[in-house]
């Protein structure tokens, strides 16, 4: 009897020099010798026929865009999403990862993960395997895809991996029965035992945003936010006891997967409101290591992923309503026109 936990459906027409294909196959054989039932296809219709057959295991699909009409990945993706949301779809494509419009299109089509990095494919496979294991306490089900019999740890991992880009993120929590604005974030902040509960935020809310430019090609780092909200600058709320610049570095790593070096300040904003005050600092940054700054492509509760864009690509995203707001365009134009970057020293970390 097979001990496999998932069907791995691989649609990939390799070339003679396709080292990625060989490396992926070797990784699957060595790292997942029994957990994955591997099915290799070079033709789209064969992969579709297999997917629609009487299978008993949940599926993971890795597909390329395809180089011929017979090997196109898009018809397979469309067929899967007509059937269910329980299949985890990975699109491996250098072309899509370099084009924000294509990345947006395939994310809207229902692709769970878009990447050019085999290391991140291997990493997400390790995250998926435990979801197929029987749970000793099957208490919960996913409100999005109705995946049944999940332990809390499985539910906690499943929701951001499979459903980060769902547009209807507001659902009823299966744990506390409360309505949530973003289920993945709710599970992380309200039910994760590993997160130290901090007091409610003070009347002053502080946020750090980051404009990060890669000097080698002048591309800017943008996060693709969950729930199809659009591309946006990495950043978020400053935690209790945290320095503003450290919050900027942390949020960029969490949302975009890139270690950055904060080099300056673009703007400090203070906005008083009736029930709270808001402080925002927009930082300028560069990758801490330009040779090792691949963006995150594994979805989680922080974001769907991230990518490096040119200013022109960002403009095009704006015309396609793919930006969460206008600030990326504003700041990228400011930087490309050699706008002033203020020194970090204007933010004193100690009293005089």
């Amino acid at each position: 009897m097979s001990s496999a936990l998932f069907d791995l459906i691989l649609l990939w027409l390799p070339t003679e020099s396709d080292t990625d294909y060989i490396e992926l196959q070797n990784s699957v054989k060595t790292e997942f010798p029994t957990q994955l039932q591997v099915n290799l296809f070079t033709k789209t219709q064969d992969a579709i026929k297999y997917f629609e057959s009487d299978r008993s295991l949940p599926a993971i699909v890795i597909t390329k865009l395809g180089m011929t009409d017979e090997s196109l990945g898009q018809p397979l993706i469309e067929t899967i999403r007509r059937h269910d949301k329980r299949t985890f779809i990975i699109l491996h494509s250098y072309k899509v990862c370099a084009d924000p419009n294509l990345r947006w299109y395939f994310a809207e089509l229902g692709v769970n993960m878009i990447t050019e990095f085999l290391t991140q494919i291997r990493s997400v496979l390790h995250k998926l395997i435990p979801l197929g294991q029987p749970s000793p306490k099957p208490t919960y089900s996913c409100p999005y895809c109705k995946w049944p019999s999940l332990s809390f740890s499985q539910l906690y991992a499943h929701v951001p991996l499979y459903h980060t880009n769902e547009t209807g993120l507001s659902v009823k929590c299966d744990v506390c029965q409360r309505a949530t604005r973003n289920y993945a974030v709710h599970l992380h902040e309200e039910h994760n035992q590993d997160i130290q509960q901090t007091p409610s935020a003070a009347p002053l809310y502080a946020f750090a945003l980051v404009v990060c430019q890669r000097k080698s090609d002048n591309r800017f780092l943008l996060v693709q936010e969950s729930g199809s909200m659009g591309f946006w600058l990495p950043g978020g709320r400053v935690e209790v006891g945290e320095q503003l610049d450290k919050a900027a570095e942390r949020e960029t790593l969490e949302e975009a997967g890139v270690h950055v070096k904060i080099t300056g300040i673009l703007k400090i904003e203070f906005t008083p409101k009736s029930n709270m005050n808001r402080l925002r600092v927009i930082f300028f940054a560069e990758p801490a290591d330009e040779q090792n700054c691949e963006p995150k492509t594994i979805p989680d509760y922080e974001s769907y992923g991230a990518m490096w864009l040119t200013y022109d690509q960002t403009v095009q995203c704006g015309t396609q309503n793919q930006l969460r707001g206008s600030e990326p365009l504003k700041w990228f134009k400011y930087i490309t026109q050699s706008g002033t970057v203020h020194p970090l020293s204007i933010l004193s970390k100690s009293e005089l």
Side-chain angles (χ1 to χ4, degrees), residues 165 223-233 255 303-304 324:
N165 214 38
V223 172
Q224 189 169 2
E225 301 228 311
S226 58
S228 295
M229 291 178 63
F231 291 102
W232 188 244
L233 299 172
E255 293 190 347
S303 68
Y304 180 76
R324 176 179 155 184

Side-chain angles (χ1 to χ4, degrees), residues 133-152:
Q133 296 170 342
S135 170
K137 295 181 179 180
T139 311
Y140 309 105
S141 63
C142 173
Y144 298 111
C145 67
K146 310 305 178 185
W147 190 309
S149 304
L150 294 169
S151 67
F152 174 77

Side-chain angles (χ1 to χ4, degrees), residues 152 156 182-195 197 239 254 301-302:
F152 174 77
Y156 179 81
N182 185 314
Y183 194 31
V185 173
H186 172 82
L187 290 174
H188 177 74
E189 294 184 347
E190 300 295 331
H191 300 297
N192 184 3
Q193 298 297 324
D194 295 330
I195 300 297
Q197 295 299 316
E239 296 180 352
E254 291 175 351
Y301 73 93
E302 294 280 359

Side-chain angles (χ1 to χ4, degrees), residues 206-225:
F207 297 87
L209 273 70
V210 178
V211 175
C212 182
Q213 185 180 40
R214 192 166 59 186
K215 290 182 178 180
S216 60
D217 56 9
N218 292 322
R219 287 176 177 260
F220 295 94
L221 184 63
L222 279 183
V223 172
Q224 189 169 2
E225 301 228 311

